[in-house]
Amino acid sequence: MRSAGGGHKSGVVRNSTLKVWDTVGIVPGVLNAVTPELLAQAKSLGFSDRQIAHLTGSTEDAVRAERKKLGLVPSYRLVDTCAAEFEAYTPYYYSTYDRGDDEVKGNTAKKVMILGGGPNRIGQGIEFDYCCVHAAFALKEDGFETIMVNSNPETVSTDYDTSDKLFFEPLTLEDVLHIYEREKCWGAIAQFGGQTPLNLALGLQKNGVNIIGTSPQSIEIAEDRKLFAAMLHKLNIPQPPNGLATNEHEALEASKKLGYPVLVRPSFVLGGRAMQIVYSDAELSHYMKFAVEASPERPVLVDKFLEDATEVDVDCITDVGQFRGEHSTFNIQHSTPNEGTIVIGGMLEHIEFAGVHSGDAAMVLPPHTLSQKVINTIRDYTHAMARELKVIGLMNVQYAVKGETVYVLEVNPRASRTVPFVSKAIGFPLAKLAAKVMAGKILKELGFTEEIWPKYWAVKESVFPFNRFHGQDILLSPEMRSTGEVMGLDADLGIAYAKSQMAANAPLPTGGKVFISVSDAHKAEAVDVAKEFVRLGFELIATGGTAAVLEKAGLKVQRIFKVSEGRPNAVDLMKNKEIQLVINTPAGQQPRADEIKIRTTAVYTGTPIMTTISGAKAAALGIAALKKSGYAVKTVQEYH
């Protein structure tokens, strides 16, 4: 959304930066060699400060300082959201370096800038947009003028009636600083747009932006592996054994100490991008060579992977940083360590074992298998970390529970993907409350001080785009792949799960045939699952290896060929609608061609498929509940 030839992300730059720079008449090298006229021309042609800094061997800060010294700043043009039919009360703006009047209307209101999530893509959840919108609504209620910065036309945050002003701009340090300074904002919120604005927080603060809510320094502690480990050591909170690697050799050494399997990932990533569980030196070497660019500035994190652990997500809201932060809103000189309120909004137990990205995992609120001791430990750890990080607003923690031991996987002192789900499940708008806390209010003042433990079950299930990507395997991993989520609510856990499956995937069948094909590691558990389906009235179908195990357990099984052996096989039966449910767990880290064909055919034929034993058990629970009592429909409001 920039005028022709204007703006600093134009198509011209994408073609060839150096070629366009050459047309301006400058040989790359020194910033001092760039005349004011040429700098203005470069900005008009679409060069960002960072690009100019790279080409002149300078820094982005130096280029910005030179520009501002010359008075070279963008002007903002208006997009009339009402097409001149009547007055637009909520216009939005785009920047340009072309000559012309600045069309932004000035005023003296106290302004808060909200940084959105940027372009939507897999890994950048729309849930963050929900949080930004609620923040705008909440701050309006409290008398602030809200300034939304986002560059995605397909979101609610960029609707003309969400905020007081919308700047349709990229989420970069340069663009955000221009808007903040132009609007003379009182503060900016980086906590609601996900990882994208969070990565800008420290740079914005260094350039004079008042980041309200949790301080960028606390965010840095949570993001930096060494600082985070030091904090956990101080609080006596365990985390899985881990290490850092800046090259292949260091990664192999770390894995040797930890023992396989290990979870490897780059630091500061979005949606678990390039995150992987590896089981051997060969897999790790391949990962380090082709999946990431490791360096001392961008180390790869290497964690011991806890197999068969239960993962738990916790969302909490707190105002303790208001009392204990360096820039305390209340300026309390003698506050006690227990000043402030921490409220856990929700504990969500993952249905899949640890290793599936939290954006993809099915979850249950409240937890349904955790002991009271584990729940109390999770609560204690969450409170301790919120106080230590001086959190103001929202915080998300991911735990892994192995037996009765609780490990912290990561802490995000920001809004998370589960905030909208938790808010709807418990009936309290956490993002709205958090925005008001960040702007200076406390939870006692807002009337939210007690943890809500629902007397019903809320199941979150993810929605995937697999039917749009022909041949793509549907197995879930640490890298996020979902594009949405649904909720199932009911007083019965089985029914709640069944409702979530109806909304997200194909509905669970109440009769017919179940095809079971599982890895050797899961064959013992598969017997119990198969017995449950037989008890529910289903017939069993399996290929040789699985069939032999089931038959040995005394179960009647219809044997069929593997896909590679001949026909009829599972793919044929699914196409003929002779299979009503598939249970298929992977045989190894490198999926076999047979498995991929079975899983993709299930997607294309609308056949419900479970790729984990825990998912299969949940499906059996849901089917049993459906067969026993059916289901009723109630509105969310009725549950509250």
Side-chain angles (χ1 to χ4, degrees):
M1 264 273 177
R2 298 182 185 275
S3 58
H8 40 277
K9 306 291 183 298
S10 70
V12 178
V13 177
R14 286 195 298 271
N15 292 336
S16 174
T17 303
L18 286 171
K19 205 174 271 186
V20 178
W21 182 257
D22 192 50
T23 65
V24 181
I26 287 294
V27 177
V30 184
L31 180 60
N32 292 342
V34 182
T35 65
E37 293 77 18
L38 289 173
L39 186 58
Q41 190 180 356
K43 296 302 290 184
S44 183
L45 281 170
F47 285 88
S48 69
D49 288 351
R50 179 177 288 190
Q51 287 172 317
I52 294 171
H54 174 72
L55 289 165
T56 57
S58 183
T59 66
E60 186 176 356
D61 288 343
V63 174
R64 184 183 306 111
E66 180 67 17
R67 265 198 310 101
K68 291 174 87 169
K69 188 172 77 176
L70 297 171
L72 185 58
V73 294
S75 59
Y76 292 91
R77 302 290 172 80
L78 170 72
V79 175
D80 188 345
T81 52
C82 298
E85 291 185 39
F86 45 89
E87 185 178 357
Y89 290 101
T90 312
Y92 63 88
Y93 304 93
Y94 63 95
S95 67
T96 177
Y97 277 85
D98 287 352
R99 294 194 179 101
D101 293 332
D102 192 305
E103 297 177 342
V104 176
K105 298 175 182 177
N107 58 47
T108 58
K110 195 173 185 180
K111 301 170 186 175
V112 174
M113 171 191 283
I114 301 166
L115 301 181
N120 261 15
R121 55 206 181 277
I122 295 174
Q124 177 68 57
I126 199 68
E127 298 89 346
F128 295 126
D129 201 66
Y130 165 101
C131 294
C132 292
V133 170
H134 274 238
F137 292 163
L139 294 173
K140 272 190 195 180
E141 289 173 8
D142 283 2
F144 292 94
E145 179 175 308
T146 55
I147 311 292
M148 186 72 68
V149 182
N150 207 356
S151 56
N152 182 1
E154 296 298 324
T155 56
V156 181
S157 68
T158 53
D159 283 356
Y160 70 91
D161 55 353
T162 294
S163 54
D164 294 305
K165 287 177 185 170
L166 166 67
F167 285 82
F168 202 86
E169 293 288 284
L171 285 152
T172 68
L173 185 66
E174 178 181 344
D175 293 284
V176 172
L177 279 175
H178 280 315
I179 300 163
Y180 186 87
E181 292 165 359
R182 171 64 183 79
E183 285 295 301
K184 298 180 174 63
C185 295
W186 167 72
I189 293 178
Q191 201 182 95
F192 287 151
Q195 193 70 38
T196 303
L198 209 66
N199 288 346
L200 295 176
L202 206 56
L204 290 171
Q205 186 190 57
K206 286 176 181 175
N207 282 277
V209 173
N210 174 29
I211 301 291
I212 64 173
T214 306
S215 73
Q217 287 69 32
S218 291
I219 293 169
E220 191 77 5
I221 290 172
E223 294 277 1
D224 184 287
R225 178 50 63 96
K226 290 181 181 176
L227 296 175
F228 182 56
M231 181 192 78
L232 294 182
H233 179 73
K234 175 185 175 182
L235 299 175
N236 198 26
I237 295 175
Q239 67 177 142
N242 60 78
L244 284 172
T246 61
N247 55 50
E248 182 184 344
H249 174 72
E250 288 180 7
L252 290 168
E253 283 295 309
S255 298
K256 186 177 179 181
K257 288 179 184 175
L258 298 172
Y260 289 106
V262 294
L263 178 69
V264 286
R265 55 184 165 144
S267 44
F268 294 90
V269 296
L270 179 71
R273 185 188 59 77
M275 194 182 291
Q276 191 174 319
I277 302 166
V278 298
Y279 288 78
S280 67
D281 285 354
E283 284 183 37
L284 183 60
S285 294
H286 185 273
Y287 175 86
M288 294 299 293
K289 286 174 183 172
F290 300 106
V292 293
E293 292 179 21
S295 68
E297 295 76 33
R298 298 173 56 126
V300 170
L301 313 180
V302 185
D303 294 320
K304 174 64 180 173
F305 178 65
L306 302 173
E307 291 189 285
D308 297 333
T310 300
E311 199 162 335
V312 181
D313 260 74
V314 176
D315 284 310
C316 79
I317 181 171
T318 170
D319 57 21
V320 294
Q322 299 283 33
F323 296 87
R324 306 180 66 217
E326 294 174 13
H327 307 290
S328 171
T329 304
F330 302 99
N331 198 23
I332 294 174
Q333 297 294 320
H334 305 291
S335 60
T336 69
N338 292 320
E339 286 280 12
T341 305
I342 301 168
V343 182
I344 289 179
M347 287 188 196
L348 299 104
E349 180 180 344
H350 292 212
I351 289 174
E352 291 86 3
F353 283 129
V356 174
H357 191 280
S358 60
D360 290 353
M363 302 182 189
V364 180
L365 184 156
H368 67 296
T369 69
L370 303 182
S371 69
Q372 192 59 50
K373 178 188 173 186
V374 166
I375 289 170
N376 291 341
T377 301
I378 289 172
R379 186 179 291 117
D380 291 343
Y381 288 174
T382 304
H383 281 232
M385 289 185 288
R387 291 195 184 282
E388 185 65 24
L389 290 170
K390 305 183 183 75
V391 173
I392 303 173
L394 292 167
M395 182 179 84
N396 169 263
V397 190
Q398 292 171 23
Y399 295 97
V401 179
K402 184 90 169 174
E404 292 287 286
T405 305
V406 178
Y407 298 92
V408 173
L409 298 180
E410 63 177 271
V411 175
N412 297 301
R414 58 164 169 82
S416 72
R417 289 180 179 82
T418 47
V419 164
F421 175 86
V422 171
S423 299
K424 293 173 185 179
I426 68 173
F428 282 86
L430 295 179
K432 272 189 173 182
L433 294 169
K436 294 189 176 194
V437 166
M438 293 162 76
K441 290 192 173 178
I442 61 174
L443 288 171
K444 285 181 181 176
E445 186 181 352
L446 296 171
F448 187 67
T449 58
E450 297 294 327
E451 194 174 310
I452 307 295
W453 202 267
K455 293 183 170 62
Y456 48 85
W457 302 97
V459 176
K460 187 206 94 163
E461 183 56 281
S462 299
V463 178
F464 297 94
F466 295 128
N467 59 350
R468 303 290 182 92
F469 299 100
H470 190 79
Q472 177 70 42
D473 195 7
I474 69 169
L475 282 181
L476 302 182
S477 72
E479 186 163 351
M480 183 175 165
R481 302 166 80 187
S482 64
T483 51
E485 60 188 41
V486 298
M487 174 190 283
L489 286 174
D490 204 90
D492 183 287
L493 177 57
I495 297 293
Y497 182 78
K499 285 180 177 178
S500 73
Q501 299 308 297
M502 292 176 201
N505 310 304
L508 295 174
T510 53
K513 296 181 178 181
V514 180
F515 171 68
I516 304 177
S517 175
V518 297
S519 67
D520 292 341
H522 297 130
K523 281 187 168 60
E525 288 183 281
V527 170
D528 292 333
V529 172
K531 285 179 178 177
E532 182 61 20
F533 277 100
V534 169
R535 192 185 68 78
L536 292 170
F538 286 82
E539 297 176 37
L540 304 179
I541 301 177
T543 52
T546 304
V549 173
L550 298 179
E551 287 168 346
K552 187 177 179 181
L555 296 171
K556 183 181 177 183
V557 184
Q558 176 188 339
R559 285 183 176 242
I560 60 170
F561 290 115
K562 291 182 179 179
V563 175
S564 58
E565 291 175 343
R567 310 177 79 168
N569 54 51
V571 170
D572 299 321
L573 296 185
M574 276 189 278
K575 289 179 178 177
N576 294 337
K577 301 296 181 184
E578 295 179 48
I579 290 176
Q580 280 65 52
L581 180 69
V582 174
I583 299 171
N584 175 241
T585 65
Q589 286 310 295
Q590 297 301 321
R592 296 173 182 166
D594 281 18
E595 293 177 8
I596 295 174
K597 283 182 182 176
I598 289 169
R599 291 192 283 265
T600 54
T601 302
V603 171
Y604 301 139
T605 58
T607 307
I609 178 168
M610 303 296 154
T611 59
T612 63
I613 292 295
S614 55
K617 290 177 180 176
L621 182 70
I623 292 168
L626 286 174
K627 288 174 74 77
K628 181 180 178 182
S629 54
Y631 67 93
V633 176
K634 286 166 66 176
T635 63
V636 174
Q637 289 79 4
E638 287 177 273
Y639 282 99
H640 301 153

